Amino acid sequence: MKCQVCGTEVTMPYTCPYCGGQFCSQHRLPENHTCPQISRARTQRQKTVEEVMTQTGSGYNYSFNFNPQPVRTHRSGVFSPKELKHIGIAALLVIGIGFSIGFYNNIYGGNWSIAMMAVFSVCMMTSFLAHEIAHKITAQKRGLWAEFRLTMWGAILTLVSVILPFKLIAPGAMMIGGTADRRGILKISIAGPITNIIFASVFFALSLALRLTIGQYSFIFAYVGFINAFMAVFNLIPIGVLDGFKIFSVNKKVWAIAFIPSVILAIYGYLLF
């Protein structure tokens, strides 16, 4: 299929929802292909301005880049080669943070073996990726485009924090494109924190189960549980680009139902130490 403006051959052309024409990515917007229905397009955007969110997040947050026209997307759970590359780099950065925490614990009197550091790092990486992928799958199920991307400053700060006592896990963000209603925004936003709450509960349970048998790994799992609980609490704070702001703005009751258990789990994890 060729773009109706420049004639470029396009495998998956964008269809203008206003005039029905087929265009390449450069000319997909009504303004870029002199759409005969551009006045209708502008009116539609004005009506939906309150439901359109354009926010950039980092770390356990993600970006909403909602466009007023439909966005073609892969089926749920499919990752592009570019996304896999970004996920791989982010995973290595998080693993680096995990080993760094182990080394710093040993400096201050801990007794973490390399095996313990490896288990801790893998659990950290799994928690991080599960949070991001939960956002991705939820968005894709609603027909939106969703892919993880590294952010320059987030990746740099995460890398630098590997060698510093202060740790920051913010290598990238889940980028989401397409049109979503308030219900969709709520489901996409809460998917990540809910994943952390589930992970915290599972790791705390593993910690209790191993307390009398493998005490050192019991501590490791408790630590990972606490980090997941903390991340859930942090992301549910209703400010800025955090998940909590979007959830709180759409449904305060749902926000409270998620926030209260996360706080309880975080306090429980803190008391374990």
Side-chain angles (χ1 to χ4, degrees):
M1 179 70 70
K2 291 185 178 181
C3 174
Q4 293 180 204
V5 175
C6 62
T8 302
E9 191 70 30
V10 184
T11 304
M12 296 181 65
Y14 291 85
T15 301
C16 177
Y18 305 106
C19 68
Q22 303 285 321
F23 306 97
C24 64
S25 59
Q26 184 178 355
H27 298 106
R28 62 190 176 88
L29 296 178
E31 295 86 350
N32 295 344
H33 64 258
T34 316
C35 180
Q37 301 292 331
I38 193 169
S39 59
R40 189 161 66 91
R42 288 171 177 166
T43 301
Q44 180 67 21
R45 290 176 187 173
Q46 188 67 29
K47 288 180 180 179
T48 60
V49 67
E50 292 183 356
E51 295 181 8
V52 176
M53 302 179 70
T54 306
Q55 300 179 1
T56 301
S58 59
Y60 273 76
N61 310 317
Y62 56 98
S63 294
F64 274 126
N65 296 299
F66 289 135
N67 301 314
Q69 67 280 341
V71 174
R72 294 179 182 270
T73 183
H74 298 292
R75 64 182 184 274
S76 181
V78 173
F79 299 81
S80 70
K82 182 176 182 179
E83 181 180 21
L84 290 174
K85 178 181 177 180
H86 283 237
I87 288 176
I89 296 172
L92 290 175
L93 289 171
V94 177
I95 287 174
I97 292 290
F99 273 96
S100 177
I101 290 174
F103 283 121
Y104 268 100
N105 269 275
N106 285 349
I107 291 174
Y108 293 103
N111 188 29
W112 290 33
S113 65
I114 296 298
M116 291 173 64
M117 293 182 195
V119 170
F120 178 75
S121 300
V122 170
C123 290
M124 286 277 293
M125 176 198 67
T126 303
S127 300
F128 171 78
L129 294 182
H131 178 109
E132 297 298 336
I133 292 173
H135 287 312
K136 174 186 177 70
I137 292 176
T138 307
Q140 287 185 327
K141 284 184 176 179
R142 303 191 72 83
L144 305 180
W145 174 87
E147 290 200 1
F148 180 84
R149 291 290 184 269
L150 293 169
T151 57
M152 183 180 69
W153 283 110
I156 291 174
L157 290 173
T158 303
L159 180 61
V160 170
S161 69
V162 170
I163 61 175
L164 297 177
F166 175 76
K167 304 303 175 186
L168 176 68
I169 304 176
M174 187 58 63
M175 305 299 173
I176 299 173
T179 302
D181 56 17
R182 291 170 64 85
R183 183 180 179 84
I185 293 171
L186 178 63
K187 288 187 173 182
I188 295 168
S189 301
I190 204 169
I194 288 297
T195 301
N196 287 127
I197 291 173
I198 293 172
F199 269 57
S201 301
V202 170
F203 280 114
F204 284 144
L206 285 173
S207 175
L208 291 174
L210 297 176
R211 178 170 295 182
L212 299 179
T213 54
I214 314 176
Q216 290 179 314
Y217 285 94
S218 172
F219 173 78
I220 292 295
F221 290 140
Y223 203 153
V224 177
F226 171 70
I227 290 174
N228 271 278
F230 174 80
M231 288 299 177
V233 172
F234 179 79
N235 277 277
L236 285 169
I237 296 174
I239 59 173
V241 298
L242 299 176
D243 296 326
F245 176 76
K246 304 177 187 75
I247 299 167
F248 190 85
S249 299
V250 176
N251 193 316
K252 295 177 177 58
K253 183 180 293 186
V254 171
W255 173 84
I257 291 172
F259 186 70
I260 293 172
S262 67
V263 171
I264 293 173
L265 286 169
I267 293 174
Y268 173 75
Y270 178 79
L271 293 176
L272 285 179
F273 294 102

